[in-house]
Amino acid sequence: MTRSIRPLVAGNWKMNGLKADLAIATEVARGYDASLKAAVDLAICPPSTLLFTATAALIGSRIATGGQDCSVQPAGAFTGEVSAAMLADAGASFCIVGHSERRTLHGEDNATIRAKAEAARKALLVPIICVGETQGEREAGKALAVVRRQLKGSVPEGLDAASLVIAYEPVWAIGTGLTPTAADVAEMHAAIRSDLARIVGKNAAAGVRLLYGGSVKPSNAAELMNVANVDGALVGGASLKAEEFLAIARACA
Ligand code: PEP
C-alpha cells in the first residue's frame, strides 16, 4: 500500500447479475461499516443493464458504481454500444477500460483503449485502465516490456491523480486461482508508477491508485495488498459474494 493514497476495491461483475443479484450490492453496503468507510473506497461495476438500479440501491452507502466498458463514440448509429455519457447518466463514477477480456475477445488495441479512457474522462468518469501480460509473455521474460507498452499506448496524457486508476491484471491470473509472487507484483507496480510519471507527470503519478487484479480472494488479499505501490484491488469472481468482497476490503483497511 501507499500510505498517502486512499485504497480502492472495485468489483467487476462481468456478464453476471440479474435484478435479484442487487441483493449482493445491498449486502456489501450493509457491511461497509464506519471503520471500513474510514479506510477504503468501494466500487461495484455491474453489467450496464443494472447500473441505474444498482446506483439507486447504493444511494447513501458511499459505494460508487462503474461501467465495465464504454464506446469510443459519444452517440449515434452504433447499435449495441453504450456511451460513457450514458454510463454517467445511469449513475456511474468509474469505467473499466481495456480489460483483458476486451483486449482478447474483442481485439481492442492500446489506441482504442486510450480513446475509451478519453471518452470516459469527457463524461467525467474515472477510467480504470487495465494492463497485464499473458502467461507466454511472462514465461518469455517480456512481462515488464508488455505492460510498459500497454501503459504508454493506452493512458491519456495530462490526467490528474483523481482522474485515473490503473489495474495491473496478469491475464494468466484472471479467474484461474493463480497469482504472481509478491515480489513480481512489487516489481510491476513500481515500474507502472515510474512510467506513469512520464505520461501524467511526477506529482499525478505519485497519487494514482494502482490496483492489483487477478484471483484476489480473502485468503490472499492481505499479502497482495501489503505490497508496495498496491493501492487496492480489482476483483472479479469474489466480488459476486458480498462476504468475500468485504473481506478483501478489510484486508485493504
Ligand atoms: C477481473 O476479471 O478483473 C478479475 C480480476 O477476475 P478474478 O478476480 O475472477 O480473477
Side-chain angles (χ1 to χ4, degrees):
M1 307 289 285
T2 315
R3 287 209 177 280
S4 55
I5 297 180
R6 187 174 157 87
L8 167 69
V9 176
N12 172 15
W13 282 16
K14 312 195 189 198
M15 199 174 74
N16 296 295
L18 302 174
K19 274 184 292 183
D21 298 304
L22 290 171
I24 302 166
T26 49
E27 199 181 329
V28 171
R30 270 196 301 278
Y32 189 40
D33 57 23
S35 66
L36 268 183
K37 279 187 180 130
V40 56
D41 286 337
L42 296 187
I44 291 175
C45 303
S48 48
T49 48
L50 289 183
L51 196 46
F52 181 82
T53 32
T55 306
L58 291 170
I59 282 176
S61 71
R62 285 176 42 198
I63 299 175
T65 59
Q68 300 175 8
D69 178 44
C70 66
S71 175
V72 297
Q73 304 292 345
F78 303 101
T79 302
E81 293 278 281
V82 176
S83 75
M86 289 169 180
L87 298 174
D89 190 49
S93 309
F94 293 94
C95 184
I96 298 169
V97 296
H99 190 281
S100 72
E101 286 149 19
R102 302 290 318 174
R103 290 180 186 263
T104 312
L105 304 175
H106 299 267
E108 293 186 6
D109 61 12
N110 291 328
T112 303
I113 292 154
R114 181 186 164 127
K116 289 186 174 201
E118 285 168 350
R121 275 315 297 146
K122 271 198 193 117
L124 302 181
L125 299 175
V126 174
I128 301 175
I129 302 178
C130 301
V131 293
E133 81 285 356
T134 63
Q135 183 154 27
E137 288 162 345
R138 177 152 289 272
E139 282 166 3
K142 293 182 182 154
L144 273 172
V146 166
V147 168
R148 291 184 131 144
R149 200 162 49 241
Q150 290 175 336
L151 271 182
K152 194 165 181 236
S154 53
V155 178
E157 284 146 25
L159 296 182
D160 60 37
S163 308
L164 175 64
V165 175
I166 302 290
Y168 168 55
E169 299 206 307
V171 180
W172 52 273
I174 295 178
T176 60
L178 302 172
T179 50
T181 64
D184 285 342
V185 175
E187 180 187 40
M188 187 63 81
H189 278 235
I192 291 173
R193 178 97 56 212
S194 120
D195 280 19
L196 267 185
R198 280 194 279 280
I199 305 171
V200 297
K202 209 169 166 214
N203 284 349
V208 170
R209 296 193 274 199
L210 308 185
L211 311 186
Y212 167 78
S215 295
V216 179
K217 301 185 186 74
S219 56
N220 60 22
E223 187 190 2
L224 290 162
M225 296 304 113
N226 273 322
V227 172
N229 286 304
V230 173
D231 312 309
L234 182 54
V235 184
S239 71
L240 291 163
K241 293 183 183 133
E243 206 28 69
E244 293 196 10
F245 190 61
L246 285 163
I248 292 166
R250 273 181 225 113
C252 268

